[in-house]
């Protein structure tokens, strides 16, 4: 699941997510995209108190997402905040034809791709996903298959009940 820190999430979106996760047993990681160019860029924010305030703002957005996920019975979803633009600037190759090419070139020259990547916090998300897959690949796959089968069976049952009700009405 991907969330932008600047957007309010429509209430119905969380319900759709909960239904999908529940029906198909999908594992969930929430990714919060902080678009603030000063977040996790210490050279632009010299004062530690200002850096703390920026992190607090991201934490508040993550808390809002956590609260909404708990309301739809997804209380233990990990949430990772990243800066996707910085991650893209770090990971893309030349020749780069994407958006904001001038800023990308300037930042790569000034800070280097390694530092941009570290500041993006993308490695934290990658680590979470890789460790999760390494430790839980089989149970995740079996759980998803089980829940997919259960979801399909429930849909089939509902369809059969609907046909049974129609047939009963016609028989009367």
């Amino acid at each position: 699941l991907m969330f932008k820190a600047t957007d309010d999430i429509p209430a119905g979106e969380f319900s759709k997510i909960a239904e999908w996760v529940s029906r198909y047993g999908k594992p969930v990681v929430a990714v919060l995209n902080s678009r603030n160019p000063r977040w996790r860029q210490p050279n632009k924010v010299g004062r530690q108190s200002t850096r703390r305030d920026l992190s607090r703002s991201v934490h508040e957005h993550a808390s809002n997402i956590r609260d909404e996920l708990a309301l739809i019975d997804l209380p233990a979803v990990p949430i990772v905040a990243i800066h996707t633009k910085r991650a893209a600037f770090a990971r893309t190759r030349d020749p780069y034809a994407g958006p904001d090419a001038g800023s990308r070139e300037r930042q790569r020259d000034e800070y280097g791709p390694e530092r941009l990547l570290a500041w993006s916090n993308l490695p934290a998300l990658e680590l979470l996903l890789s460790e999760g897959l390494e430790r839980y690949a089989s149970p995740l796959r079996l759980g998803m298959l089980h829940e997919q089968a259960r979801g399909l069976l429930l849909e089939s049952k509902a369809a059969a009940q609907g046909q049974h009700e129609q047939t009963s009405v016609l028989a009367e």
Side-chain angles (χ1 to χ4, degrees), residues 4 8 14 25 50 62 64 66 70 75 94 116 125 142 152 160 171-172:
K4 288 190 269 182
D8 288 326
F14 280 100
T50 306
N64 292 340
R66 187 173 291 109
D94 290 323
L116 290 173
L125 175 60
L142 290 174
L152 291 171
E172 293 175 1

Side-chain angles (χ1 to χ4, degrees), residues 52-100:
R52 196 174 15 256
D53 289 344
L54 290 168
S55 290
R56 186 177 300 120
S57 174
V58 171
H59 180 74
E60 288 170 4
H61 287 291
S63 292
N64 292 340
I65 292 168
R66 187 173 291 109
D67 291 345
E68 291 295 326
L69 291 170
L71 288 173
I72 58 170
D73 204 28
L74 295 173
V77 173
I79 301 172
V80 179
I82 65 172
H83 195 288
T84 56
K85 185 175 187 178
R86 203 171 285 137
F89 284 1
R91 287 276 174 91
T92 52
R93 295 191 177 149
D94 290 323
Y96 177 76
D100 211 2

Side-chain angles (χ1 to χ4, degrees), residues 20-34:
W20 180 64
V21 168
S22 175
R23 178 179 294 167
Y24 299 109
K26 300 289 185 184
V28 180
V29 173
V31 179
L32 171 60
N33 181 24
S34 175

Side-chain angles (χ1 to χ4, degrees), residues 96-171:
Y96 177 76
D100 211 2
S103 178
R104 175 194 176 267
E105 184 177 349
R106 188 174 54 258
Q107 288 185 42
R108 285 175 65 98
D109 288 345
E110 188 172 344
Y111 311 120
E114 296 81 17
R115 188 172 289 163
L116 290 173
L117 183 62
W119 289 344
S120 76
N121 207 36
L122 182 62
L125 175 60
E126 293 172 331
L127 182 63
L128 173 68
L129 295 174
S130 63
E131 284 187 4
L133 289 173
E134 185 178 311
R135 289 183 188 174
Y136 305 109
S138 292
L140 282 171
R141 183 67 181 142
L142 290 174
M144 286 190 307
L145 290 172
H146 177 266
E147 292 304 314
Q148 283 179 323
R150 186 175 72 87
L152 291 171
L153 288 171
L154 288 173
E155 287 176 10
S156 297
K157 178 182 174 185
Q161 285 176 333
Q163 288 179 351
H164 173 65
E165 291 170 7
Q166 288 177 348
T167 304
S168 296
V169 170
L170 292 175

